[in-house]
Amino acid sequence: MNDEQKKPDPSTLPKKAASQALNFFYGSKQALKNINLPIYDRKVTALIGPSGCGKSTFLRCFNRMHDLYPGTRYEGQIRLYPDDVNLLDKSVDPIEVRMRLSMVFQKPNPFPKSIFENVAYGLRIRGEKRRSVLMDKVEEALKSAALWNEVKDRLDELATTLSGGQQQRLCIARSLASEPELLLFDEPTSALDPIATASIEELIHQLREKITILIVTHNMQQAARVSDFTAYMYLGDLIEFGWTDDVFFRPKEKQTEDYITGRFG
Amino acid sequence: MNEHLSRQFDADLIALRSRVVEMGGLVDEQFRRSVEALATGRAVLADGVIAGDDAVNALDVRIDDACAHIIAKRQPAASDLRMVLGVSKIVSELERIGDKARKIARSVVAVNTTSDGPWIADIERLSEAARHMLRDALNAFVRSDLEAAVMVLRSNRDFARETSQVSNDLVQRYSRNADQVPTMLDMLSVTRAVDRVADHAANIAEHLVYIVRGTDVRHATLEQIEREALTGR
């Protein structure tokens, strides 16, 4: 009833991507059912829901990770803007897709290489050989991932000598170095302690000014803290999507309400 | 509403709600006794009300503390969060009703010297109506009954007109006699306190709309509140 409660109509915002009538099957089992979800440009969108709801499956459609497994099948589209390409189109090379979208996983997975080489890796496989360019890009990525000050004097050390939280920020730096258009986070802090979690969340907060983020999280409070939009999924259906403020304070659907208040059973 | 997966959380929320009702019963009784002291002129009764305000304040602090602990430990969301925040606001209203009872009790000696029968009768009638609103608001809270909450808000509109009439009558009768002006001011202050009790009951009804609908209607018109409470728009 007061103005602060009224947020702009999301449909007026520019989109970075959108799933359209997306179905996904593991063999004969349908894991996603007609998902229509906009991903707004330079906003953080959180996917929440109980285990098995399809949130990680949905995230993995974006970088075509399911292509690695036999017997999986997509229907519908995921459009990436502004060029309006369908990421799921057979003619689109999944390697090309993964050049444009980066994924950060649940557990930090640095390569058994130096800190520097981890971040430079994506650039090297794209053919960048100039040391000065690599140096600049690595520094920029590490700064963006809020890790530079901690590692600038030990870039040649093995990445595995870093703490868990540092390793995860290194993986984020590695993702950022290849300048992705969309950053996909699959439970990025579930293996981290509260302090490391807070630093990743702060990082997400800073990154959203530059990049669109889609994050899957089991931690609802995290979704509430870091995201602009929240999508609640259940058994492969998208139940509710809206501004995070609304979803967590005044959800429209009883199923969402039950889930976020811990009444799910 | 389904139960939480955490039974302890359910137990915490149930305890919170029952303490609100307990506090509501306490301030209702404080208010009733303050008006009885006024009508009968019994200073002992008035002293009891004044002393009893400590118990009201203690419950206010205790319930607010319980709200803070639930927020810290459970990080409630959606309807649970609104319940905890709403309870905190309702408790403030109850605490202020307790203050009004104390204020009325304090004026017993001063006012009673006049023995203004018609005014006392008005106050007794109005305070009964205000207590009715308070109890209806608390029952609406217990049952999350928005229709009942709207009824309380409607009653308050009529109530304000009546108290204003009682105050006008007092001014008509007393203001020409300079000796009686101080006593008249005391009576006006009591009349106003009774009016405020009804306002606090109405505020509780508004907080219930917030708890159930998630909309802050404190500064809305009655018509807007009715629409929000009864249709959710």
Side-chain angles (χ1 to χ4, degrees):
Chain A
M1 206 150 281
N2 62 38
D3 290 341
E4 283 170 359
Q5 290 174 356
K6 292 192 181 123
K7 284 172 274 311
D9 178 0
S11 62
T12 61
L13 299 173
K15 276 183 265 191
K16 183 63 213 172
S19 75
Q20 296 173 355
L22 179 64
N23 293 313
F24 181 77
F25 301 83
Y26 292 107
S28 60
K29 186 184 178 305
Q30 185 167 7
L32 295 176
K33 300 168 191 165
N34 191 31
I35 307 291
N36 292 287
L37 185 70
I39 309 297
Y40 294 110
D41 189 37
R42 277 167 295 163
K43 298 278 186 245
V44 179
T45 301
L47 298 167
I48 61 169
S51 296
C53 72
K55 57 190 188 296
S56 289
T57 300
F58 180 73
L59 190 78
R60 288 165 192 194
C61 289
F62 278 76
N63 68 348
R64 301 267 298 267
M65 258 176 74
H66 301 299
D67 292 22
L68 303 171
Y69 304 95
T72 58
R73 184 159 58 88
Y74 306 90
E75 286 173 6
Q77 306 189 354
I78 294 178
R79 316 289 311 187
L80 189 66
Y81 303 106
D83 46 345
D84 199 15
V85 57
N86 175 16
L87 296 177
L88 302 179
D89 196 287
K90 294 265 188 293
S91 67
V92 174
D93 180 358
I95 304 293
E96 195 62 38
V97 171
R98 290 172 208 146
M99 293 277 204
R100 299 179 60 176
L101 279 55
S102 283
M103 173 96 88
V104 175
F105 296 86
Q106 191 169 353
K107 287 188 183 145
N109 53 355
F111 303 134
K113 292 171 173 287
S114 72
I115 293 168
F116 182 90
E117 286 305 327
N118 261 275
V119 182
Y121 191 83
L123 299 165
R124 284 201 197 278
I125 60 171
R126 285 167 197 216
E128 184 57 67
K129 293 195 179 68
R130 291 165 295 174
R131 177 80 192 172
S132 64
V133 173
L134 287 171
M135 193 62 230
D136 286 350
K137 296 263 187 190
V138 166
E139 179 175 339
E140 191 187 329
L142 285 168
K143 280 180 173 164
S144 293
L147 189 60
W148 175 249
N149 285 337
E150 291 161 63
V151 301
K152 62 175 188 257
D153 302 321
R154 48 191 286 207
L155 293 173
D156 295 329
E157 287 180 29
L158 267 181
T160 45
T161 62
L162 296 171
S163 72
Q166 287 172 327
Q167 287 186 19
Q168 193 64 309
R169 276 179 283 149
L170 180 70
C171 293
I172 294 171
R174 190 174 64 192
S175 301
L176 293 173
S178 52
E179 296 175 352
E181 296 169 50
L182 181 59
L183 202 48
L184 308 168
F185 283 103
D186 192 359
E187 304 209 31
T189 64
S190 61
L192 303 180
D193 69 41
I195 300 292
T197 296
S199 74
I200 300 287
E201 289 181 5
E202 175 56 26
L203 181 55
I204 290 172
H205 196 75
Q206 290 167 12
L207 289 175
R208 83 167 113 200
E209 294 183 2
K210 292 181 257 178
I211 188 167
T212 307
I213 295 171
L214 184 56
I215 178 171
V216 163
T217 176
H218 261 130
N219 180 337
M220 281 181 289
Q221 297 305 324
Q222 177 166 74
R225 287 191 295 262
V226 304
S227 69
D228 302 293
F229 290 95
T230 296
Y232 171 62
M233 295 178 69
Y234 182 61
L235 295 178
D237 286 306
L238 175 63
I239 305 295
E240 182 162 356
F241 170 75
W243 288 100
T244 296
D245 283 356
D246 292 336
V247 172
F248 278 85
F249 191 71
R250 197 162 52 158
K252 290 194 184 75
E253 302 296 330
K254 183 170 185 304
Q255 284 186 73
T256 315
E257 169 92 32
D258 282 352
Y259 182 68
I260 63 171
T261 58
R263 288 184 170 87
F264 189 80
Chain B
M1 189 67 79
N2 297 338
E3 291 177 354
H4 287 93
L5 294 175
S6 162
R7 297 228 173 119
Q8 187 55 48
F9 191 9
D10 275 333
D12 288 350
L13 287 176
I14 289 168
L16 193 66
R17 292 164 71 109
S18 57
R19 282 201 196 129
V20 171
V21 176
E22 180 193 345
M23 186 174 174
L26 185 61
V27 299
D28 179 37
E29 182 60 14
Q30 283 280 98
F31 179 49
R32 186 192 68 75
R33 292 186 341 158
S34 72
V35 174
E36 188 187 338
L38 186 80
T40 60
R42 285 170 60 198
V44 179
L45 202 53
D47 289 344
V49 171
I50 293 163
D53 197 41
D54 286 348
V56 174
N57 292 339
L59 260 181
D60 175 30
V61 171
R62 192 165 147 216
I63 297 173
D64 235 8
D65 194 49
C67 289
H69 275 87
I70 288 176
I71 291 171
K73 288 197 290 189
R74 304 283 180 187
Q75 287 112 47
S79 59
D80 291 335
L81 178 61
R82 302 197 306 266
M83 172 59 73
V84 174
L85 295 176
V87 161
S88 183
K89 292 175 185 190
I90 288 172
V91 163
S92 296
E93 305 294 345
L94 293 175
E95 193 271 334
R96 287 187 201 154
I97 293 176
D99 287 347
K100 299 297 175 287
R102 189 183 55 188
K103 183 174 182 179
I104 293 168
R106 280 193 173 144
S107 66
V108 164
V109 176
V111 166
N112 201 252
T113 53
T114 67
S115 295
D116 184 324
W119 174 72
I120 295 279
D122 280 338
I123 290 299
E124 285 186 303
R125 179 175 54 81
L126 288 172
S127 66
E128 271 312 304
R131 288 182 60 211
H132 214 84
M133 287 171 61
L134 172 61
R135 285 195 299 263
D136 286 350
L138 289 170
N139 285 336
F141 165 71
V142 170
R143 293 197 281 264
S144 295
D145 182 348
L146 290 184
E147 282 184 31
V150 166
M151 292 297 288
V152 171
L153 293 167
R154 284 188 194 138
S155 304
N156 192 39
R157 193 160 58 176
D158 303 334
F159 196 89
R161 273 198 289 269
E162 288 202 51
T163 48
S164 149
Q165 186 59 48
V166 169
S167 298
N168 288 342
D169 289 350
L170 280 175
V171 173
Q172 294 265 316
R173 274 185 281 153
Y174 288 89
S175 56
R176 266 165 280 168
N177 188 339
D179 293 349
Q180 289 187 310
V181 165
T183 312
M184 179 195 73
L185 291 176
D186 281 329
M187 288 193 284
L188 282 173
S189 155
V190 167
T191 309
R192 181 160 171 69
V194 174
D195 183 46
R196 292 297 298 153
V197 169
D199 283 342
H200 291 305
N203 291 347
I204 290 171
E206 290 180 353
H207 298 324
L208 182 64
V209 177
Y210 171 82
I211 290 170
V212 176
R213 294 274 188 229
T215 311
D216 193 333
V217 294
R218 279 177 297 180
H219 307 293
T221 65
L222 182 56
E223 287 69 28
Q224 285 174 319
I225 296 172
E226 285 181 7
R227 196 166 59 240
E228 177 66 35
L230 303 180
T231 67
R233 279 182 293 198

